Amino acid sequence: FMAAAAPELLLAWVGPGYGAAVPILLLVAATSLVHLATGAGTALFRGVDRSGRELEYTLIQLVLSLVWAPGLAWAWGLVGLVLGSAAATILSSLYFIQRTNQAFRIGLGRYLRHTVLPGLAPVLAGGAVFLGLRAFPLLTRWQTLGVVAGAGLDYLALTALLLRAWFLSPEEWRTITAPVARVMARTGA
């Protein structure tokens, strides 16, 4: 969502005049998408008391950041600095994912099917939101805030629909929706 609505989010958050920050928000969003995929691996390694694997990829990220970020910052300023940091995070995250899959004997096909494909649901929903937001003219900051809120709700609903229709088994869907159903039952919604 951050990537899909970057210009609108910046306008609503800090006001006009920050269009130059859009590439930074795009880089942060892409980095977050890849880095979040390491969460299951870090939990598994902590569970089997092998947290050194997490330290390994963190050190790789640090070294790559120290090598890339200063040079890219010198060439492209703040965007270059963020690009160097993003590239280091993405590369080290992919390394960690590969090492985790190797350690737990998870094949590439299985990983793609069970992790990468469901991860496409928010990307597809973001694409739809991006196209929808391009239809709006330039608005004031407060109007844009309303548009962003509506687009965020649309994004969540579309992501849920895509997950249910294409990616999640009925059991996985029940696991996700059970807490929502309990809250709805308690509140009488």
Side-chain angles (χ1 to χ4, degrees), residues 21-46:
V22 169
I24 293 171
L25 189 51
L26 294 174
L27 286 167
V28 169
T31 304
S32 296
L33 183 68
V34 175
H35 189 254
L36 286 172
T38 65
T42 57
L44 287 169
F45 281 125
R46 287 178 189 170

Side-chain angles (χ1 to χ4, degrees), residues 9-150:
L9 283 169
L10 286 167
L11 176 60
W13 183 24
V14 293
Y18 291 92
V22 169
I24 293 171
L25 189 51
L26 294 174
L27 286 167
V28 169
T31 304
S32 296
L33 183 68
V34 175
H35 189 254
L36 286 172
T38 65
T42 57
L44 287 169
F45 281 125
R46 287 178 189 170
V48 296
D49 198 25
R50 297 289 306 268
S51 56
R53 294 280 176 106
E54 190 177 2
L55 177 63
E56 182 180 292
Y57 97 97
T58 303
L59 290 174
I60 291 170
Q61 178 184 351
L62 174 66
V63 169
L64 291 176
S65 288
L66 290 173
V67 170
W68 290 339
L72 291 171
W74 181 77
W76 294 317
L78 184 58
V79 173
L81 178 70
V82 175
L83 177 61
S85 177
T89 301
I90 289 171
L91 190 63
S92 64
S93 295
L94 292 174
Y95 169 79
F96 179 77
I97 290 166
Q98 186 274 331
R99 290 271 287 150
T100 302
N101 288 346
Q102 185 179 36
F104 290 101
R105 294 183 176 86
I106 299 169
L108 180 62
R110 185 174 184 196
Y111 180 76
L112 291 174
R113 227 177 8 265
H114 293 285
T115 304
V116 175
L117 280 178
L120 289 178
V123 173
L124 293 171
V129 165
F130 174 81
L131 292 174
L133 287 172
R134 299 297 69 78
F136 282 91
L138 291 176
L139 303 169
T140 68
R141 183 176 182 188
W142 293 106
Q143 291 167 328
T144 301
L145 182 61
V147 169
V148 166

